[in-house]
Structure formats: C-alpha cells, structure tokens
Amino acid sequence: DAKTTQPTSMDCAEGRAANLPCNHSTISGNEYVYWYRQIHSQGPQYIIHGLKNNETNEMASLIITEDRKSSTLILPHATLRDTAVYYCIVRVALLMNRDDKIIFGKGTRLHILP
Amino acid sequence: DVKVTQSSRYLVKRTGEKVFLECVQDMDHENMFWYRQDPGLGLRLIYFSYDVKMKEKGDIPEGYSVSREKKERFSLILESASTNQTSMYLCASSGTSGRYTDTQYFGPGTRLTVL
C-alpha cells in the first residue's frame, strides 16, 4: 500500500526553486520522511531525510509540517541536471526487520525547463 | 561521500548461463541489499545481509543466491539465467545506529539482459 502521495509530474524553470510536495497523512511517530531521486537509467540517489524538524543539506531543504502529515522538498536553484523522478517515502528501519526495504511509489517526474 | 559500486553497468547473457553481479561499498556499512527494478513493479528486494556470511531472503529470492564473504562486498548470483530475470539490478548499503539501520545508499545499477 502506498503510504505517500505525490503529484505525477511538475515543471520548473531553470534557476528557480523547485518545490515538490508529498502527503503522508498516516505517518507514524517513529517514521522518517526520506527523499530519493532517480535520473533515467541510473541508481536512486539519496537526497535528504527528516523526522520532524526542517532539514537542509548541500542538495536540498526538507520542510515537514508540524502535524507531520505532509512535507515539501525544495531544490533552491534548479538546473537541467535536476530533471529526474523524485520519490518521497516514509520509513522506520529496525535492525533485522524483514520490512527494512525501500519501496518507491510512482514519484514525481520533475522537468526542468531551460 | 558514500560510494557503492557495481561491477558492470550493462550485461548481456544467454539463457542458462551463471551470472555474477558484484557490489562493493567503501563506508564500512554492516547492511547490504540487492533489489531489482522493473517498469510498473517498482523496487523489489531480492536478498539482504546484516553481517558478513549472513544472508536473509527478501521478497523474490527464487532463482537467485548471494554471497557475503567480506564486509564490503555483496555478490548476487543467478544460478541459471532466464529471460524473466532481464532487469535493472540495484545494490544498496546502510550503516547501523543502535537498533536501527540508517539511510540506504544505492549503486549505479546493472542493466542485465538475458537472451
């Protein structure tokens, strides 16, 4: 069952901020929000994750609402190389848990327009 | 930076051949995973390992085996390749924090075609 909902596709102009939303209304208290992306024919690339506080790294920022039912991934200055499918997942990974696996939904196909 | 490498980006094999896919990570991660990714089916876990010489079946282990003789290396073996094993194979690794596994980092993938 999909635990997250994302728009199917989005466009963003090069140089602008890309804001990718994700709904996860059934998230549990110990589940993290993770974002990955996958450029065509390449392996998924980890972007960022968070529990309840906003997070920022060299790639992106993650804004999580106070009720944790939704989040937004922000790519501050999108480039053509950011064109990819972006996956939002929720995950709690207990050691030796057979459910410790990554399951992607359909994700959001982000097109960066020149 | 975490680096997960896979032995081949593209591989073409014939039905019945034995196929070895190798994965190496350089972050001293305890946990390693093999997935396959197919259009419309998403990521599916084949096998995983939480320690050297340990292995656990994932959701679709049939037709595959694995080997983890060294911490940094996790091999996927197709004993007798079949056309329905044509797929993108992805290796991932993660560390451990207490009772939890950390972020999974993926390799670049191996696109295997079985003729």
Side-chain angles (χ1 to χ4, degrees), chain A residues 36-97:
Chain A
Y36 286 83
R37 72 181 183 184
Q38 191 167 22
I39 296 167
H40 182 62
S41 293
Q42 296 184 23
Q45 179 186 21
Y46 164 76
I47 302 173
I48 199 167
H49 73 283
L51 184 62
K52 50 186 174 182
N53 297 323
N54 297 338
E55 302 287 344
T56 295
N57 63 20
E58 65 279 1
M59 286 184 68
S61 295
L62 174 60
I63 310 297
I64 302 173
T65 57
E66 196 168 337
D67 63 8
R68 302 211 321 124
K69 293 185 176 182
S70 65
S71 61
T72 300
L73 178 75
I74 302 172
L75 308 178
H77 304 286
T79 71
L80 296 176
R81 287 181 295 179
D82 292 322
T83 292
V85 179
Y86 287 75
Y87 297 103
C88 166
I89 64 171
V90 294
R91 174 175 178 257
V92 60
L94 284 170
L95 193 62
M96 298 299 289
N97 186 335

Side-chain angles (χ1 to χ4, degrees), chain A residues 94-109:
Chain A
L94 284 170
L95 193 62
M96 298 299 289
N97 186 335
R98 289 177 180 275
D99 289 331
D100 179 18
K101 59 193 174 192
I102 300 294
I103 299 176
F104 291 148
K106 297 193 186 310
T108 296
R109 192 170 294 276

Side-chain angles (χ1 to χ4, degrees), chain A residues 30 34 36 38 40-46 49 58 87 91-104 106, chain B residues 9 31 33 35 37 43 45 48 50 54 56-57 59 88 90 96 98-109 111:
Chain A
N30 59 352
Y34 276 79
Y36 286 83
Q38 191 167 22
H40 182 62
S41 293
Q42 296 184 23
Q45 179 186 21
Y46 164 76
H49 73 283
E58 65 279 1
Y87 297 103
R91 174 175 178 257
V92 60
L94 284 170
L95 193 62
M96 298 299 289
N97 186 335
R98 289 177 180 275
D99 289 331
D100 179 18
K101 59 193 174 192
I102 300 294
I103 299 176
F104 291 148
K106 297 193 186 310
Chain B
R9 289 284 283 123
N31 316 302
F33 307 81
Y35 296 86
Q37 187 177 32
L43 279 181
L45 182 64
F48 57 100
Y50 286 124
M54 285 183 59
E56 295 277 348
K57 291 180 180 179
D59 296 323
M88 167 75 104
L90 293 162
T96 299
R99 294 190 303 127
Y100 296 90
T101 63
D102 290 332
T103 302
Q104 288 191 25
Y105 296 92
F106 287 85
R111 186 164 293 282

Side-chain angles (χ1 to χ4, degrees), chain B residues 8 12-14 32 43 46 53-54 62 70 77 109 115:
Chain B
S8 304
V12 179
K13 295 291 182 181
R14 297 208 175 272
M32 297 188 74
L43 279 181
I46 304 171
K53 296 195 186 296
M54 285 183 59
E62 296 79 19
K70 294 185 178 181
I77 302 147
L115 301 176

Side-chain angles (χ1 to χ4, degrees), chain B residues 15-26:
Chain B
T15 301
E17 281 192 78
K18 192 169 186 175
V19 182
F20 293 87
L21 303 181
E22 282 224 310
C23 175
V24 178
Q25 50 92 6
D26 67 356

